[in-house]
Structures are given as structure tokens and as C-alpha cells.
Amino acid sequence: MSETNFMNLQFASRSVNESFARVAVAAFVSQLDPTMEELTDIKTVVSEAVTNAIIHGYNEDPNGVVSIRGRIEGDMLYLTVEDQGGGIDDLELARTPLYTSKPELERSGMGFTIMENFMDRVDVVTEPGKGTRVEMMKRIESKKVMYN
């Protein structure tokens, strides 16, 4: 039977909180003793998902709430980043590399592509006007698991 650990985090949809989210998730994942590459990948996908929630989900309204849930089961990391913002009208289009709905902000349009390349699985659940949930999964190659 593998041990399970979890974390839940909520914060205001302010861009200054993106780095906080990266560090918090990195600290949580560190118990799996990931490689530097794995840790960098995870921090990057957290940044992408949180930034999407703030910029696209809440249209940079600082009154929104971004939620991150993390779960570790054995060597598997499960992350969910969620907002109750505007949702995505056309998910297929939004997942197209280089597409951005905010070209005036010089967005690269690579958020979902980066998440898909750095994680083993990425699922997006969205409803226009109700928000978006990005569920991600990654196996951490180091099998060392430390629970205190």
C-alpha cells in the first residue's frame, strides 16, 4: 500500500502570487526527491496554469481565487489548478500551439503545449462563464519518498 500525501492552496488572482505558487508546489514535490529537470518542469507548468487562470480566467481581476490541489501517491504527482473565472469558449482552439486570445499582451500561446510536454497527462475541464480546471499528472522517476 503506497502512502498518500496532499496539499490545498488558495490565493488571490494577482500576478505576484504566481511565484508563490511555484515555490509552494516545488516544496511539496521535493519530498519525492525529483531531479532538477523534473522540478523545473513542474514549476514551469504551475506558472503556466496559474498565469492562464489570472490572465484568461479572471481577465486580471485581482478579486478572483486560484486554487491548487496537489496529491502524491507513491511516485505519482497529481496537480490541479482551478479558477471560477470566464472559462474557455473553444478549448480545442485554446490548446493549439501559438494561439492566444490576448495577442495585445504579447502572450506566446504556448501554455497548454508546455504543460502537455512537461507532464505525463493534462486534462482540461472548462465551462464558459464558470471556470477552468487543469488536471495534470507526472511520474517522478526518483522512487525515494519521505514522509515525516
Side-chain angles (χ1 to χ4, degrees):
M1 182 172 155
S2 68
E3 296 196 42
T4 300
N5 196 5
F6 70 92
M7 60 153 265
N8 291 306
L9 182 64
Q10 288 188 321
F11 50 89
S13 59
R14 296 174 182 267
S15 60
V16 296
N17 287 332
E18 178 267 331
S19 60
F20 165 68
R22 286 171 57 98
V23 171
V25 172
F28 177 69
V29 172
S30 69
Q31 65 195 280
L32 289 176
D33 195 26
T35 64
M36 284 305 295
E37 182 179 355
E38 289 170 326
L39 194 57
T40 299
D41 290 352
I42 291 163
K43 287 165 64 176
T44 300
V45 301
V46 168
S47 290
E48 293 295 335
V50 168
T51 298
N52 279 353
I54 293 168
I55 290 176
H56 300 288
Y58 290 117
N59 207 22
E60 298 187 77
D61 177 353
N63 297 310
V65 175
V66 178
S67 300
I68 299 179
R69 291 186 306 280
R71 188 175 83 245
I72 292 172
E73 291 182 5
D75 62 354
M76 295 300 298
L77 169 67
Y78 300 89
L79 286 175
T80 301
V81 178
E82 187 169 7
D83 67 69
Q84 271 70 57
I88 302 170
D89 290 327
D90 186 338
L91 182 57
E92 186 176 336
L93 180 61
R95 290 181 89 154
T96 303
L98 302 177
Y99 170 79
T100 179
S101 63
K102 304 236 183 220
E104 70 279 6
L105 298 179
E106 297 183 22
R107 307 302 305 162
S108 72
M110 294 297 290
F112 284 126
T113 302
I114 289 168
M115 289 181 234
E116 290 166 350
N117 284 320
F118 288 178
M119 300 298 278
D120 297 330
R121 183 173 176 172
V122 176
D123 295 316
V124 182
V125 179
T126 187
E127 187 174 342
K130 298 208 175 181
T132 300
R133 184 174 68 245
V134 180
E135 299 171 343
M136 300 173 280
M137 179 184 75
K138 184 173 184 71
R139 181 177 305 282
I140 303 300
E141 294 304 317
S142 171
K143 303 291 190 270
K144 178 180 163 188
V145 179
M146 299 178 291
Y147 291 99
N148 294 324

